[in-house]
Amino acid sequence: MVPEAEVRDVLDELQRLRARVPLLSGALAASTDGLVLAHDTPGVEAEGVAALTAAALGVSIRMTDAAGRGGFRELLVRGGSGYVATYAAGSSAVLTLLAEDRINVGRLHLEGRRSGARIGELVDAALERVERPAPTRALPPRPTGTPNRALPQRPT
């Protein structure tokens, strides 16, 4: 699970992205298994889009592998009234953008790749901090010359 501070940072990045690219109608970051991390998707059910993104990601990964094209980087789907673009965001997240039909696709890719990289850094760093075990405290060293006293034993 990504800590709350990083979720806010991811949401800030999504909002800055939408401000930079006016023809984006929505943006969401999700885990690769389809759980929403943060979203700015007015009028769109973010959970449904995240779940479908995970399904499309699974097919895309298999396709790039079968075709010998390396790891997944991005997916672009064009519908009758716009685009859905998904970008890798680190090792455990994806960025999905919803765009109007009039968008400059080159600009969409440029901004989506940049934001995906930023979000990936945030999420991967947060997960690394969460998964790293806390350091254990070592017992102080026993002074030399002190006999090793065992606990008293009950007579049997």
Side-chain angles (χ1 to χ4, degrees), residues 1-11 37-38 122-131:
M1 192 68 187
V2 178
E4 186 67 27
E6 281 75 11
V7 168
R8 282 192 301 265
D9 291 342
V10 170
L11 180 58
L37 300 174
L122 290 168
V123 172
D124 286 349
L127 291 175
E128 184 177 313
R129 281 192 304 276
V130 168
E131 293 172 356

Side-chain angles (χ1 to χ4, degrees), residues 64-152:
T64 56
D65 186 48
R69 298 298 178 234
F72 171 81
R73 301 302 317 148
E74 59 195 44
L75 171 68
L76 180 67
V77 177
R78 183 175 183 199
S81 51
Y83 295 89
V84 178
T86 299
Y87 302 91
S91 63
S92 58
V94 291
L95 168 66
T96 296
L97 304 178
L98 311 175
E100 295 180 22
D101 195 42
R102 302 180 330 247
I103 196 162
N104 177 317
V105 176
R107 173 94 189 269
L108 174 67
H109 284 318
L110 176 70
E111 297 291 351
R113 291 169 185 155
R114 286 179 180 168
S115 286
R118 284 188 202 104
I119 290 167
E121 289 170 2
L122 290 168
V123 172
D124 286 349
L127 291 175
E128 184 177 313
R129 281 192 304 276
V130 168
E131 293 172 356
R132 186 181 317 137
T136 58
R137 290 180 47 189
L139 295 175
R142 182 176 293 136
T144 57
T146 303
N148 185 7
R149 296 188 185 157
L151 293 174

Side-chain angles (χ1 to χ4, degrees), residues 14 26-39 41 44-62 72-77 83-89 92-98:
L14 296 178
L28 73 88
S31 65
T32 54
D33 58 356
L35 299 175
V36 175
L37 300 174
H39 68 93
T41 55
V44 175
E45 182 190 343
E47 290 79 13
V49 172
L52 289 169
T53 295
L57 178 63
V59 171
S60 298
I61 289 169
R62 290 182 66 187
F72 171 81
R73 301 302 317 148
E74 59 195 44
L75 171 68
L76 180 67
V77 177
Y83 295 89
V84 178
T86 299
Y87 302 91
S92 58
V94 291
L95 168 66
T96 296
L97 304 178
L98 311 175

